[in-house]
Amino acid sequence: LIHSEKLASLGRMAAGVAHEINSPLTGIVTFGHLLQKKFPPGSQEREDIDVIIDQANRCSTIIKGLLGFARASAAEKALTNINDVLHSSMNIVQHKADFFNIKLVTDFDPALLRVKADSSQLQQVFLNMTVNAADAMEGKGTLTITTRNVVENNRDFVEVVFSDTGPGIPQENLEKLFEPFFTTKPVGKGTGLGLAVSHGIIQDHGGNINVKSKINEGSSFFIRLPAQRENT
Ligand SMILES: Nc1ncnc2c1ncn2[C@@H]1O[C@H](COP(=O)(O)OP(=O)(O)OP(=O)(O)O)[C@@H](O)[C@H]1O
Ligand SMILES: [Mg+2]
């Protein structure tokens, strides 16, 4: 992808900055709590300190997202059936209110090749795709998840497609989707790290993500991961 090099160097920088900022932030929160105890609840000082602690905690949340983006935790890869990871991701979202009126359709290839993958990282990617689709469809519509084996340049890949019936993505946003902090969601709802993190994870697995979208029809995200023949 166009931004991949920019993202890689940004990732390294983010990891460095995140580590540096984390300890002074912890200091602010810790000393904030100590100071908080010196003022009675309801006093102006107490309220001001609460704001300081809240804002510092918000910074911590953003930093955690950045560390995820920089993939601070090393991937643990094992031969994985992607259908299983998708099933467990869907179990997580199915019972959430945002999905009550969304039809989840699955078309999984039972003969899907296996992938050398970190299943919890892939779960993170699949959850972000699913939540993005639900957000876009505003609670109603159909999300279709498909898996199949594909061959590209004589190499085996597993392809996972997330197709929604949402409003689609405007052309001018398509190229910004994978940039960190690009979001069209209100403050508190999205930080714009989901697709940037997903892109990093898929790239780390030797794969790629592509998107096709049509206004008023929907969007499809295509994820390809290098697959393994059982006997190799
Ligand atoms: N299926 C989709 N349909 C329409 N727009 C989408 C879809 N998926 C992503 N987008 C657009 O891409 C933006 C970036 O997505 P991304 O997952 O990176 O961040 P986010 O969902 O806004 O926040 P976060 O994932 O950090 O909670 C979204 O804000 C939305 O505008
Ligand atoms: Mg998201």
Side-chain angles (χ1 to χ4, degrees), residues 52-211:
I52 293 172
I53 294 172
D54 274 356
Q55 299 291 317
N57 279 331
R58 217 175 119 194
C59 293
S60 289
T61 308
I62 296 172
I63 295 285
K64 273 200 206 103
L66 272 176
L67 281 173
F69 167 60
R71 275 165 289 127
S73 52
E76 280 187 35
K77 294 187 182 127
L79 274 185
T80 305
N81 183 338
I82 297 295
N83 290 341
D84 293 342
V85 184
L86 284 166
H87 274 302
S88 70
S89 308
M90 287 172 66
N91 278 335
I92 294 173
V93 298
Q94 239 158 16
H95 307 288
K96 300 207 166 171
D98 287 350
F99 285 84
F100 283 172
N101 295 311
I102 287 180
K103 201 172 151 203
L104 282 171
V105 177
T106 55
D107 183 5
F108 292 172
D109 183 347
L112 199 67
L113 292 174
R114 293 201 289 171
V115 170
K116 196 151 189 243
D118 182 315
S119 56
S120 67
Q121 288 193 344
L122 287 189
Q123 173 126 304
Q124 197 188 335
V125 173
F126 298 156
L127 284 176
N128 181 59
M129 295 295 160
T130 313
V131 170
N132 279 355
D135 285 347
M137 297 191 288
E138 291 181 322
K140 48 190 182 297
T142 305
L143 171 61
T144 309
I145 308 176
T146 312
T147 61
R148 61 184 190 120
N149 298 321
V150 295
V151 177
E152 186 186 308
N153 298 328
N154 276 326
R155 285 167 60 210
D156 288 311
F157 285 84
V158 159
E159 184 177 72
V160 188
V161 187
F162 294 83
S163 273
D164 65 58
T165 57
I169 302 163
Q171 184 62 39
E172 69 265 28
N173 289 354
L174 276 178
E175 52 234 55
K176 297 185 215 143
L177 284 191
F178 297 97
E179 281 177 13
F181 301 113
F182 174 77
T183 183
T184 56
K185 295 174 192 175
V187 175
K189 178 95 183 161
T191 47
L193 285 172
L195 284 176
V197 170
S198 299
H199 178 261
I201 290 172
I202 297 304
Q203 219 178 25
D204 184 52
H205 282 76
N208 57 66
I209 307 188
N210 284 296
V211 54

